[in-house]
Amino acid sequence: MDLEKLIKIGEKNGFETEVFFEKSYYTGIDLDGKSVDSFQTEVDYGIGVRVLKDGKVGFAYSNRFNESIVYRAMKNLVEDRYTKFAEPQKYKEPKGIYYKEILNLEEEKLLECLITMRDIILDNNATVLSGGVSKSVGYVRIINSNGVDVEYEDTYFSASISIMYEGETSYEGKTRHNIFNVEEISYKALDLAKKSANGKSISYKGNIILSPRALRELLAYTLVPAFSAENVQRDRSILKNKIGEQIFNDCITIVDDGTLDYGLYSSKCDDEGTKTQRTVLVENGILKNYLYDIKRANKEGKTSTGNASRGYSSLPYISPTNFIIEKTNNSLDDFDEYIYINGIIGSHTSNPITGDFAVEIQNSYYYKNGEIIPLKKGMFGGNIFEMFKDAIPLNDVEQRGKLISPSIVFKGEIVS
């Protein structure tokens, strides 16, 4: 596919031109109850073209290679004096992002993994509600009139299962760049359900500990959007004009790191062709930085932090890579009483500007002086920015989606 030809057409017409090419392969097998329900194979690819001229930008996309895409982009012009294209840079490839083992993984192996997970659940007298195992391979190439020509590949292997045990449901899932032992998924789901079965209803005020899984679900709708420079510039972030201020507990350090070896969202570059980097957002509770793409960085006379994300059919937008809340030396053993929350429901109703939220807890338990009491569903609410002022990260780190975090202790209240 001659992507350079599209660049030449744009330049011949007086436009700076960028071509974003993306292709992906996906294979997955799902359960409906304990029965194998579906087998899916998908191939997706497409091209997105952006052009620049006289403070205007145009965009068009297609899932077919056709020169007309450039001409359509040249007709779809809008005023935009801040968008520019990336300049050539030196890139460093993170380790552990692409594995040929995933590319060569047969469908029979995926089915074997799925059956293994299912049978573990059934052998432990639990009911399988749903589940799935999948693999995917992605490829992106970005070229532009400035001389950028960069490409990256990644692979993913995912497994998940949803179960019921003695009337209590639980879900567990995991995604990594390479294949892993899927048995741990089933055993974790069983452990969650068993610890939650026959739960009691209580009202409680004190230490509330959110697991990395619960944090991922909550922070994606509350804390994370506040670090986007676009939200800051549009007055949609409570963190606006607070650089250099103490905003959280002094044991809170937050980093965005797209260069992290084995990170789920690591890459040599972002989707504008800017090299990824390690950006300290909060250090010892003090706000240090926001996340930028090229456009939002130009608005403030700054440089991009390598946080542009896109697909071939969309324009770039700001998104975190690996969003890391650093651990401390504290552990669960340091606390005599707490409620531990493994999952939450309803985080999408949170207010991303103020940080206010109210969610239903799931797969949770009350701990006091060595005794564990399963809990029925209760309500947990508050303001995430206020809660981080007293928050204490623990030492049990894991990656859940873009979030890499330990469990975190907050002061809060559960209402039954």
Side-chain angles (χ1 to χ4, degrees):
M1 187 176 293
D2 189 2
L3 301 182
E4 289 85 352
K5 186 175 183 180
L6 302 180
I7 298 288
K8 292 176 181 177
I9 292 173
E11 291 178 340
K12 186 177 179 180
N13 285 271
F15 287 85
E16 294 180 62
T17 307
E18 174 203 74
V19 177
F20 180 93
F21 174 70
E22 178 183 38
K23 63 179 178 181
S24 61
Y25 307 88
Y26 168 89
T27 301
I29 305 176
D30 294 325
L31 289 174
D32 183 5
K34 65 179 181 180
S35 302
V36 176
D37 176 57
S38 63
F39 173 90
Q40 293 180 313
T41 298
E42 300 174 3
V43 179
D44 187 29
Y45 63 92
I47 300 171
V49 173
R50 289 194 296 167
V51 296
L52 295 176
K53 186 177 181 179
D54 299 331
K56 296 181 180 180
V57 61
F59 172 68
Y61 69 92
S62 176
N63 56 10
R64 295 182 180 180
F65 184 78
N66 192 310
E67 295 175 10
S68 66
I69 186 176
V70 184
Y71 295 102
R72 286 193 286 117
M74 289 188 290
K75 290 180 180 179
N76 297 331
L77 297 176
V78 296
E79 294 286 342
D80 186 346
R81 59 192 177 94
Y82 294 108
T83 290
K84 304 293 180 183
F85 295 150
E87 297 289 341
Q89 300 160 61
K90 291 184 178 180
Y91 303 101
K92 183 180 179 181
E93 188 87 48
K95 297 178 182 178
I97 307 302
Y98 181 86
Y99 290 88
K100 289 184 177 179
E101 294 93 325
I102 298 298
L103 185 65
N104 300 324
L105 193 62
E106 300 290 341
E107 289 84 354
E108 290 80 6
K109 179 61 177 177
L110 295 178
L111 180 59
E112 178 186 324
C113 290
L114 187 62
I115 297 303
T116 295
M117 289 198 304
R118 180 197 68 180
D119 289 349
I120 289 173
I121 301 302
L122 297 177
D123 290 344
N124 282 270
N125 301 315
T127 301
V128 177
L129 301 177
S130 62
V133 176
S134 66
K135 69 167 189 175
S136 61
V137 181
Y139 170 83
V140 167
R141 183 184 177 196
I142 305 164
I143 60 176
N144 69 31
S145 295
N146 294 333
V148 167
D149 190 347
V150 61
E151 58 186 2
Y152 65 84
E153 293 181 285
D154 48 31
T155 56
Y156 292 97
F157 177 79
S158 299
S160 63
I161 197 157
S162 179
I163 73 170
M164 178 178 289
Y165 179 83
E166 294 186 2
E168 184 66 33
T169 60
S170 70
Y171 166 88
E172 180 61 16
K174 183 177 180 179
T175 298
R176 293 293 181 266
H177 285 293
N178 201 3
I179 192 169
F180 52 83
N181 183 358
V182 298
E183 294 183 6
E184 63 183 88
I185 304 300
S186 291
Y187 287 120
K188 177 66 173 179
L190 284 166
D191 182 63
L192 288 174
K194 289 179 178 179
K195 282 185 176 179
S196 308
N198 304 310
K200 296 182 178 180
S201 294
I202 67 169
S203 293
Y204 168 84
K205 189 173 184 179
N207 292 324
I208 306 290
I209 304 180
L210 296 184
S211 71
R213 173 182 158 192
L215 285 166
R216 173 204 177 183
E217 296 166 358
L218 180 59
L219 300 188
Y221 294 98
T222 53
L223 180 70
V224 175
F227 291 98
S228 164
E230 179 175 3
N231 288 334
V232 172
Q233 293 167 11
R234 291 185 172 185
D235 294 325
R236 296 180 59 85
S237 171
I238 201 170
L239 300 182
K240 183 175 182 178
N241 297 326
K242 292 188 178 181
I243 295 291
E245 293 185 17
Q246 185 89 30
I247 59 170
F248 298 146
N249 197 349
D250 58 13
C251 62
I252 300 295
T253 293
I254 301 174
V255 176
D256 182 86
D257 192 352
T259 70
L260 184 69
D261 290 340
Y262 307 100
L264 283 180
Y265 289 86
S266 296
S267 175
K268 67 171 71 171
C269 67
D270 71 1
D271 288 331
E272 290 182 308
T274 302
K275 67 179 181 180
T276 53
Q277 66 178 48
R278 183 179 186 272
T279 304
V280 177
L281 299 173
V282 177
E283 185 175 33
N284 299 326
I286 298 174
L287 181 63
K288 294 292 186 177
N289 210 341
Y290 307 121
L291 299 177
Y292 293 89
D293 59 5
I294 292 175
K295 177 178 178 177
R296 295 297 164 176
N298 285 339
K299 280 198 167 188
E300 297 182 31
K302 297 181 180 291
T303 57
S304 171
T305 55
N307 287 94
S309 181
R310 65 179 293 193
Y312 70 85
S313 62
S314 69
L315 290 168
Y317 58 91
I318 297 172
S319 181
T321 57
N322 303 292
F323 190 88
I324 304 167
I325 301 177
E326 295 192 352
K327 67 178 181 179
T328 66
N329 293 324
N330 297 290
S331 72
L332 280 176
D333 295 336
D334 297 327
F335 298 87
D336 296 326
E337 183 180 17
Y338 55 82
I339 284 180
Y340 192 91
I341 300 174
N342 278 293
I344 58 175
I345 300 172
S347 57
H348 64 284
T349 65
S350 304
N351 188 319
I353 301 176
T354 65
D356 292 329
F357 69 91
V359 295
E360 184 178 338
I361 66 172
Q362 190 177 39
N363 300 133
S364 305
Y365 63 86
Y366 170 66
Y367 174 90
K368 185 174 182 180
N369 298 326
E371 182 182 8
I372 293 178
I373 300 174
L375 297 182
K376 287 184 178 180
K377 296 174 182 178
M379 295 302 298
F380 173 48
N383 180 279
I384 200 66
F385 299 102
E386 291 299 317
M387 288 167 52
F388 262 91
K389 292 179 180 179
D390 297 311
I392 303 174
L394 301 183
N395 59 4
D396 54 335
V397 177
E398 64 175 300
Q399 180 153 19
R400 293 279 184 163
K402 294 191 173 189
L403 179 68
I404 300 177
S405 174
S407 301
I408 298 181
V409 184
F410 298 99
K411 296 297 183 182
E413 184 175 1
I414 300 295
V415 179
S416 62

